[in-house]
Each structure stands twice: as structure tokens, then as C-alpha cells.
Amino acid sequence: MHLLLVGISHRTAPVDLRERLDFQTRGLDTALHALGSRHAAREAVIVSTCNRAELYAACEDLDAGREAIATFIAEYHGVERSALEPHIYGVTDLEAARHLFRVASGLDSLVVGEPQILGQVKDAHTAAHAARTSGTILNRLFHSSFGVGKRVRTETGLGSGAVSISFAAVALSKKIFGELKGLNVVVLGAGEMGKLTALHMKSQGVHQVTIVSRTMAHAARTAEAIGGASAAPWEELDTLLGAADIVITATGATSTILTKAHIEAVMRPRRSRPLFIIDIAVPRDVEPAAGEIEQVFLYNIDDLQATVRENMARRASEVTKAEAIVA
């Protein structure tokens, strides 16, 4: 029996392809059952985050397994196999285990050391266990990865300080505005990513942080957890956008929520006042064409790469320690 990993990540595929391969949209259980019906592997776990879609499998024939899983990914998401092939990778046996350990440790993340990934890997295994697609081999592999991830978190400085996608968004804001004091920030999305971004913004001394969600109770709970932030209903979105300096979009929507036409309408009364939008959602919340509007500065998750490179340089010694634990 062999270990096989087939997938794509931020290292190999652009955001427009990654958002098309989001297994979370229809639920991991649905995808796992669909994969199981093809008998492509004895065991399977799907790790699907904003920056990767990876299928870990235990199979007897590596070539046949890779072909079957790659075909499944393309057909399940309605993507032409020819469009997928340049971006997909296949990793086997020891290297597949090493890759998962690096993922769980945050070493393969867009922002190296970000803390959310370990929980996401655990959730992926939990879903596979519930769907009964994870057995002896993958159970051992994933539980080992949890231990590696925990050691890296506790024995190195890789996970300390500014290590999340949300912080990278704040760092990019500071590059644009310099000091953030006195600015109004609107965060669309009351989930963990929106909450973390809002916390980082508050730490920079912005004038106001407003959490907006389609469910007002969710927005209120997130604002309360942050402290000093306010919550607003979705119906007030246009008014809030009109007063905002920075907009962070981090919703779990499965389609665009801010179109170019919508942003154009918001910008008319602002005259020449710029609006800075960072779309850190996958799928993207903001229509890319909105960035063509004068005085609108739109960045997506792939635009955080420069911040990531700087982050990696600062953490080089910690990366070396973490890689030793993985090995």
C-alpha cells in the first residue's frame, strides 16, 4: 500500500483556479462520498483551504491512483483536465508524509507559520473519519502530523507574532497608508478570518472597526469578542462603504458580493477620496474589475506574496528549526 497526495496550492495555481477547486463549497462529506464511489483509493482525506485543495490517499497503484484522483478533481468541479494539469502535483510515500507534516506545521502556508492551518488539517481528518474514508494508514499519518504541528508551535518561534493572512492584510494596509490611526475600517465577514483581521486593525489604533455580516447576531458576537469594535447589519453596507477608508472582505460566500457596478455607485459621492479593498476570501468576494475604478485600490490574497517573502526572511532561523522537527 502506498501514500499518494494529489493537489494544487498557492505555490502552483492562481487564485482564480483555487477558488474553482474549493471542496468546502458543497461540503467535504459530499466530496469524500463522491470520491469513494469511484473506488479510486482505499482511504482518502481532503484538505481544502483558501490556499490549497489536496487529496491524500492510500492506494495500491500510484499511477492509476494519480490518474483517477486528478480526473475526479477536474470532473467534480467542472474544470477541463487540460486547464488543471499544469498546476497539479502528485507526491508519493515518504515525500507525501513530509508534505503533510510541513502543511500542518505552517511551513507550506502563504504566510509561513500561520496558526489556523493545523486546525484545518484536523477538521479535514475529522470529516474523513466521519465519512469512513480514513483508515489505518491515513489515521496514523494525520495523527502524526498533529503531533508535528504541535511541536513546531511549542518548540520554535515560527508561530509567534504576525503570522496570519489577516496580519498580512494589515501589513499591506500600512504600506499604502503609513500610519493607520484615524482610519475607518469595515470588515465583511464575522468568521475567524474577519475577527483576526479586525483584532490586528484595532492594535494599530484605527479610529473605528465595524463588523458586517448577513447575520447581525454573528456580527455582534464578533464585535464583542474584539472589544471596541461595532457591529452593523448587512442593510447598512452601502453607507458603511461610503465612509470607509479600508474594506477587508473575508466572507464565506460562494459567489461575488461586491461587483464593479456596486463599487462604482459607492464611489460617486466620495469624489476623489480613495477606497482600499483587500479581498482575502476564496472564492473572491469582490469582482476583479472593481480594481479598474479610479481611486479604488483592490488587492486579493495572491497580492500578499511580497509580505510573505519578507515574513519568511525574518523567520529564516525558525524555519530551519521547524524543518528539523518535520524531518
Side-chain angles (χ1 to χ4, degrees):
M1 192 67 66
H2 294 278
L3 279 177
L4 173 65
L5 156 63
V6 180
I8 60 105
S9 75
H10 63 94
R11 297 184 184 279
T12 67
V15 64
D16 58 336
L17 179 60
R18 298 201 306 274
E19 64 189 11
R20 293 177 68 189
L21 302 185
D22 182 10
F23 284 100
Q24 297 282 5
T25 303
R26 284 185 273 173
L28 290 182
D29 56 341
T30 301
L32 287 164
H33 288 306
L35 177 60
S37 69
R38 297 188 177 215
H39 306 290
R42 291 285 187 88
E43 302 178 27
V45 176
I46 299 175
V47 177
S48 182
T49 73
C50 58
N51 286 315
R52 70 185 66 252
E54 296 181 338
L55 280 72
Y56 293 83
C59 60
E60 295 179 351
D61 187 326
L62 288 173
D63 291 336
R66 185 194 187 283
E67 177 64 23
I69 291 173
T71 298
F72 165 74
I73 293 172
E75 292 180 352
Y76 187 79
H77 295 290
V79 175
E80 289 291 333
R81 180 70 184 270
S82 59
L84 176 64
E85 200 60 41
H87 307 285
I88 201 166
Y89 46 83
V91 187
T92 63
D93 295 328
L94 179 63
E95 290 308 311
R98 185 191 304 276
H99 181 90
L100 178 60
F101 289 2
R102 295 187 78 254
V103 168
S105 302
L107 285 165
D108 197 60
S109 296
L110 183 63
V111 175
V112 173
E114 58 93 0
Q116 293 96 340
I117 186 62
L118 181 57
Q120 292 168 329
V121 171
K122 289 181 178 179
D123 290 343
H125 177 258
T126 298
H129 183 73
R132 298 185 178 181
T133 63
S134 180
T136 304
I137 294 174
L138 293 187
N139 286 342
R140 184 177 180 186
L141 174 69
F142 273 78
H143 281 291
S144 295
S145 78
F146 305 156
V148 173
K150 184 176 180 180
R151 281 193 61 194
V152 169
R153 291 279 298 277
T154 58
E155 297 177 24
T156 77
L158 195 70
S160 62
V163 292
S164 67
I165 291 293
S166 54
F167 177 83
V170 174
L172 182 56
S173 300
K174 292 178 73 174
K175 285 188 175 182
I176 301 297
F177 288 99
E179 198 166 355
L180 302 185
K181 290 181 179 178
L183 299 182
N184 289 321
V185 178
V186 172
V187 179
L188 304 189
E192 191 64 21
M193 188 71 78
K195 176 182 175 182
L196 288 170
T197 306
L199 282 167
H200 285 309
M201 287 289 181
K202 286 292 294 181
S203 71
Q204 300 300 316
V206 298
H207 173 66
Q208 179 66 46
V209 173
T210 304
I211 310 296
V212 183
S213 173
R214 292 191 185 277
T215 305
M216 183 59 186
H218 293 170
R221 280 197 296 269
T222 299
E224 183 180 0
I226 292 165
S230 61
W234 197 263
E235 292 73 23
E236 295 181 12
L237 179 59
D238 285 359
T239 299
L240 292 165
L241 292 177
D245 299 293
I246 301 171
V247 176
I248 309 291
T249 67
T251 78
T254 58
S255 59
T256 299
I257 60 174
L258 293 178
T259 64
K260 180 181 181 182
H262 192 166
I263 299 298
E264 283 178 330
V266 168
M267 291 300 293
R268 289 190 191 104
R270 293 172 65 99
R271 302 180 185 275
S272 60
R273 189 160 149 253
L275 179 63
F276 181 48
I277 305 174
I278 304 179
D279 184 355
I280 55 178
V282 177
R284 285 172 288 184
D285 283 333
V286 185
E287 185 179 6
E292 301 167 3
I293 303 170
E294 188 175 355
Q295 294 300 318
V296 171
F297 302 91
L298 173 63
Y299 293 82
N300 65 39
I301 201 165
D302 282 354
D303 296 318
L304 303 177
Q305 288 283 12
T307 300
V308 174
R309 287 191 290 270
E310 293 174 9
N311 185 62
M312 288 181 67
R314 288 195 302 270
R315 298 170 183 275
S317 63
E318 300 306 312
V319 167
T320 300
K321 295 175 187 175
E323 295 283 14
I325 293 173
V326 166

